[in-house]
């Protein structure tokens, strides 16, 4: 197996008895933007170079909202891929309960994941009834706003350092012919932006009451009313952002056509591919410059069960490789996300990534919505948000009332 044994000592005993032949593994994912493609290529290269097996790329164009139903349908329909990206959390819960996902507990124990993965909630999200079913590969946080220096320079105003400063600068951006807020039309984008505003405006305690404790009274109360009012303002700022995909919205910021975008740290990959420098061409504000906190969601790989010992052995080799130190560094530097291992050297990280690492080290973290809400509840909130963001006649008060109803029945 080439030099796999030198790179992954803990995996040797696990795989030596079972890896009897080379295998082609089909891997599905939705990483198709420029930055994402560069990042996933690091996984493919490592798997091809460091094992006897081959990564067969099964990229699904679009977002997770497009890809997940396809992925789940294939697994349920008896045509499973060999490995697939999903968000660690509750998305695969029913598939695991149905016995359709490979148990990776032996890999996790051999590789010492419980001692390496930070925060521990990432591995907890892969665990069902004490068994581990996924390999977390990164930490992605939604809690960022990205600001174009060119757009604000053209508008003759300083680059904001907080949400309130940004709101105050929005009229100048409009006068200069800029789109104040870049926003794609997919439901997950509007829902994610709302979540970021909730943490910044309602505060961490109120957000936790709603998202963790499912407190409908707080969701329908005065504190969250301020969030919906802010979202209504943001909706107006994004009125002329006529793009669909998140990376198209990011490109509006990169090219100076838009002043800002509320988007997760995966946007860094697009700025990097465009050759832009953090602090020089763009600014990133965690928590909208109000609450320096990050959510610790992200991506994980699950391995649908196969009736083939050789394939299963190759799947477990891949799972171990994805969390190896070198692969974690190479992938996450390209992706713009944070590594799941707390023991890797990220000296090459840019300013925005370093901010994320500092916040992570401080312990100022919250779970991601995929870890707190079921897919059904998330879908209901996304449906509400896309309707609210796209219909100026939908009042903040009416949207909040519907939101509180969803939270009251959330699971």
């Amino acid at each position: 197996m080439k030099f796999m044994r030198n790179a992954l000592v803990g995996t040797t005993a696990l795989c030596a008895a079972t890896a009897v032949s080379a295998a082609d593994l089909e891997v599905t994912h939705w990483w198709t933007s420029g930055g994402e493609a560069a990042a996933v290529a690091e996984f493919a290269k490592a798997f091809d170079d460091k094992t006897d097996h081959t990564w067969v790329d099964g990229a699904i164009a679009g977002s997770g909202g497009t890809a997940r139903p396809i992925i789940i349908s294939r697994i349920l329909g008896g045509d499973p891929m060999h490995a697939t990206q999903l968000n660690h959390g509750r998305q695969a819960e029913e598939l695991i309960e149905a016995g359709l996902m490979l148990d990776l507990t032996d890999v996790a124990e051999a590789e010492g994941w419980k001692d390496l993965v930070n925060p521990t909630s990432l591995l907890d999200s892969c665990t069902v009834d004490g068994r581990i079913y996924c390999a977390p590969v990164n930490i992605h946080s939604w809690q960022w706003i990205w600001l174009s220096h060119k757009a604000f320079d053209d508008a003759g105003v300083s680059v904001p350092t907080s949400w309130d400063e940004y709101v105050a600068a929005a009229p100048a951006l409009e006068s200069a012919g800029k789109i104040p807020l870049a926003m794609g039309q997919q439901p997950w984008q509007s829902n994610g932006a709302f979540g970021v505003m909730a943490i910044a405006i309602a505060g961490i305690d109120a957000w936790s009451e709603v998202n963790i404790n499912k407190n409908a009274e707080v969701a329908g109360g005065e504190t969250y009313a301020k969030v919906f009012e802010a979202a209504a303002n943001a909706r107006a700022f994004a009125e002329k952002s006529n793009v669909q995909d998140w990376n198209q919205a990011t490109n509006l910021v990169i090219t100076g056509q838009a002043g800002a975008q509320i988007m997760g740290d995966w946007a860094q990959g697009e700025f990097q591919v465009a050759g832009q420098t953090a602090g020089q061409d763009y600014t990133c504000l965690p928590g909208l410059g109000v609450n320096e906190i990050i959510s610790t969601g992200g991506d994980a790989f699950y391995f649908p069960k196969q009736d083939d010992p050789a394939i299963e052995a190759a799947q477990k080799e891949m799972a171990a490789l994805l969390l190896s130190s070198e692969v974690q560094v190479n992938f996450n530097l390209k992706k713009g996300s944070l590594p799941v291992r707390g023991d890797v050297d990220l000296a090459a990280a840019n300013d925005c990534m370093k901010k994320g690492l500092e916040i992570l080290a401080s312990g100022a973290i919250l779970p991601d919505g995929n870890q707190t809400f079921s897919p059904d509840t998330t879908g209901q909130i996304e449906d509400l948000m896309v309707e609210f963001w796209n219909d100026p006649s939908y009042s903040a008060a009416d949207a909040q009332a519907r939101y509180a109803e969803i939270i009251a029945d959330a699971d």
Side-chain angles (χ1 to χ4, degrees), residues 35-376:
E36 291 173 329
V40 76
E42 294 292 338
F43 279 160
K45 182 178 185 299
F47 189 65
D48 289 348
D49 289 352
K50 298 188 177 186
T51 78
D52 289 335
H53 313 300
T54 302
W55 176 293
V56 179
D57 202 71
I60 301 172
S63 66
T66 300
R68 278 190 296 272
I70 296 171
I71 291 166
I72 292 170
S73 177
R74 280 191 55 184
I75 296 170
L76 291 174
D79 179 30
M81 62 297 295
H82 301 111
T84 188
Q85 171 201 9
L86 288 171
N87 300 118
H88 47 237
R90 300 182 62 184
Q91 291 174 358
E93 221 169 42
E94 293 181 3
L95 296 173
I96 293 169
E97 291 170 353
L100 297 174
M101 290 299 192
L102 182 64
D103 186 337
L104 300 175
T105 306
D106 53 352
V107 180
E109 290 176 349
E111 296 295 315
W113 287 358
K114 287 187 177 180
D115 295 325
L116 295 173
V117 175
N118 177 51
T120 57
S121 60
L122 301 177
L123 203 56
D124 291 343
S125 292
C126 290
T127 304
V128 176
D129 295 332
R131 309 298 293 178
I132 296 170
Y133 289 91
C134 69
V137 297
N138 62 13
I139 302 168
H140 262 321
S141 173
W142 251 107
Q143 312 306 315
W144 299 85
I145 187 168
W146 308 87
L147 305 163
S148 166
H149 286 200
K150 178 178 177 5
F152 286 96
D153 288 346
D154 289 348
V157 292
S158 299
V159 177
T161 62
S162 70
W163 176 253
D164 286 344
E165 288 183 11
Y166 163 72
V167 172
L173 289 169
E174 290 181 305
S175 296
K178 307 294 182 180
I179 302 167
L181 185 66
M183 174 75 72
Q185 302 302 309
Q186 294 156 327
W188 67 271
Q189 296 184 56
S190 49
N191 183 36
F194 175 83
V196 174
M197 286 188 285
I199 291 175
I201 295 167
I204 295 165
D205 291 343
W207 182 93
S208 298
E209 277 299 312
V210 172
N211 288 265
I212 298 175
N213 298 330
K214 317 298 192 292
N215 189 325
E217 184 176 344
V218 174
E222 291 184 9
T223 302
Y224 257 70
K226 296 177 183 177
V227 181
F228 277 91
E229 290 165 5
N233 288 332
R235 176 176 63 187
F237 296 158
E239 184 178 3
K240 295 181 180 178
S241 180
N242 297 317
V243 295
Q244 180 72 12
D245 296 332
W246 71 269
N247 53 303
Q248 294 174 321
T250 306
N251 188 62
L252 293 175
V253 179
I254 290 171
T255 56
Q257 298 175 70
Q261 180 189 24
I262 300 174
M263 185 51 59
D265 53 11
W266 48 91
Q268 288 188 79
E270 302 305 300
F271 286 99
Q272 185 168 297
V273 167
Q276 295 208 337
T277 302
Q280 177 178 312
D281 301 302
Y282 65 96
T283 287
C284 54
L285 296 179
L288 304 186
V290 179
N291 287 319
E292 286 211 346
I293 195 163
I294 61 173
S295 53
T296 52
D299 302 291
F301 276 83
Y302 291 78
F303 300 83
K305 281 186 176 179
Q306 312 285 324
D307 188 19
D308 185 331
I311 293 292
E312 181 176 312
Q315 289 174 309
K316 291 184 175 183
E317 282 191 66
M318 179 182 288
L321 182 66
L322 295 176
L323 268 75
S324 63
S325 296
E326 180 184 353
V327 175
Q328 275 285 294
V329 170
N330 293 342
F331 169 78
N332 283 293
L333 285 176
K334 293 282 180 66
K335 190 70 167 64
S337 48
L338 304 181
V340 299
R341 294 180 62 129
D343 64 343
V344 295
D345 180 9
L346 285 173
N350 67 23
D351 287 352
C352 293
M353 197 171 183
K354 286 176 180 176
K355 284 184 184 180
L357 289 167
E358 289 170 2
I359 295 170
L360 179 65
S362 76
I365 58 176
L366 288 172
D368 181 75
N370 288 310
Q371 296 167 296
T372 62
F373 289 134
S374 70
D376 178 65

